[in-house]
Amino acid sequence: GQNIDQPTEMTATEGAIVQINCTYQTSGFNGLFWYQQHAGEAPTFLSYNVLDGLEEKGRFSSFLSRSKGYSYLLLKELQMKDSASYLCAVLDSNYQLIWGAGTKLIIKP
Amino acid sequence: GAVVSQHPSRVICKSGTSVKIECRSLDFQATTMFWYRQFPKQSLMLMATSNEGSKATYEQGVEKDKFLINHASLTLSTLTVTSAHPEDSSFYICSASEQDYNEQFFGPGTRLTVL
């Protein structure tokens, strides 16, 4: 079966750095997305990785290792507004988007 | 950037009534639109995928006669929850992509409460 694993919840301090991991087992791979979702709102796009390596975009970076079925989202200089759920999703060989359950990130002052 | 709107944002209805939710891509033509449902503290669950002018493809376990999807144009898709029941209460989110399998842009979601 297809599986996306990410931690249920993480806590970090304002101004610090946090890494949210995602491991996947899917039938094929056509890219991995990270989305941010605030409570009661729809997800917003953060990043897309299809090749191995690190993609940096401001305070957020996303890393992919296809051989390990692994990705992480790195958030730097954390702000209170970064408190949200972070969803990892993989596009499989049928171009279906397989969603992880999301990681709830709690930022403390 | 690509903007997707949804209407209504919130709806409360009585059990047995039908509810229509509209999803519009405002500044691009959406080849494909997706409908998701999300229960509290759970991940997004894809209900169906629709392409303009063709029948929607429903995920396993989603009743196509209960959740009617119409993708009438490249900018509009509608989801009708027919004969809604309290267990249909959920957060319904649509997304749209310009090309098949491209990045999905999400609407703001519709919170449905069935009494």
Side-chain angles (χ1 to χ4, degrees):
Chain A
Q2 312 218 77
N3 200 45
I4 309 278
D5 284 317
Q6 49 180 135
T8 305
E9 188 174 295
M10 299 182 70
T11 303
T13 306
E14 191 177 14
I17 299 173
V18 71
Q19 177 175 311
I20 303 174
N21 296 324
C22 171
T23 57
Y24 62 89
Q25 292 171 312
T26 57
S27 54
F29 178 84
N30 281 297
L32 185 144
F33 293 85
W34 282 98
Y35 283 86
Q36 179 190 61
Q37 186 179 25
H38 285 100
E41 299 180 12
T44 55
F45 171 81
L46 290 178
S47 68
Y48 171 68
N49 294 68
V50 68
L51 299 177
D52 289 349
L54 186 69
E55 297 268 348
E56 296 186 72
K57 197 185 289 186
R59 294 190 298 115
F60 293 5
S61 302
S62 57
F63 171 84
L64 174 67
S65 169
R66 287 172 297 173
S67 62
K68 295 181 179 178
Y70 167 71
S71 171
Y72 67 72
L73 180 69
L74 191 71
L75 293 77
K76 303 175 186 175
E77 301 169 18
L78 287 170
Q79 302 175 9
M80 297 303 292
K81 66 178 182 179
D82 297 330
S83 292
S85 285
Y86 291 85
L87 306 174
C88 172
V90 172
L91 208 55
D92 71 7
S93 58
N94 293 319
Y95 292 93
Q96 287 249 7
L97 204 54
I98 312 299
W99 291 88
T103 298
K104 183 179 180 181
L105 178 63
I106 300 168
I107 309 295
K108 295 185 175 179
Chain B
V3 180
V4 176
S5 70
Q6 248 181 275
H7 178 80
S9 58
R10 185 181 295 268
V11 59
I12 301 173
C13 68
K14 292 182 179 179
S15 184
T17 59
S18 294
V19 176
K20 180 186 281 189
I21 303 170
E22 288 188 353
C23 177
R24 292 181 185 273
S25 57
L26 299 184
D27 53 0
F28 68 100
Q29 293 187 323
T31 307
T32 308
M33 285 186 166
F34 305 84
W35 285 98
Y36 293 87
R37 182 167 51 181
Q38 186 176 35
F39 293 106
K41 298 185 180 180
Q42 293 187 23
S43 188
L44 298 172
M45 290 171 47
L46 180 65
M47 298 175 67
T49 303
S50 74
N51 293 291
E52 184 261 341
S54 60
K55 290 184 179 180
T57 302
Y58 289 81
E59 294 300 300
Q60 196 170 9
V62 178
E63 300 174 57
K64 61 180 180 181
D65 294 329
K66 180 170 181 61
F67 299 99
L68 302 177
I69 291 173
N70 183 15
H71 194 158
S73 74
L74 284 171
T75 59
L76 173 65
S77 176
T78 59
L79 167 68
T80 301
V81 183
T82 60
S83 186
H85 288 99
E87 56 265 31
D88 298 324
S89 297
S90 186
F91 192 45
Y92 291 86
I93 309 171
C94 75
S95 70
S97 61
E98 287 184 85
Q99 300 171 14
D100 287 349
Y101 323 130
N102 207 357
E103 175 189 344
Q104 295 182 29
F105 301 97
F106 284 86
T110 297
R111 186 160 303 282
L112 170 64
T113 303
V114 184
L115 302 176

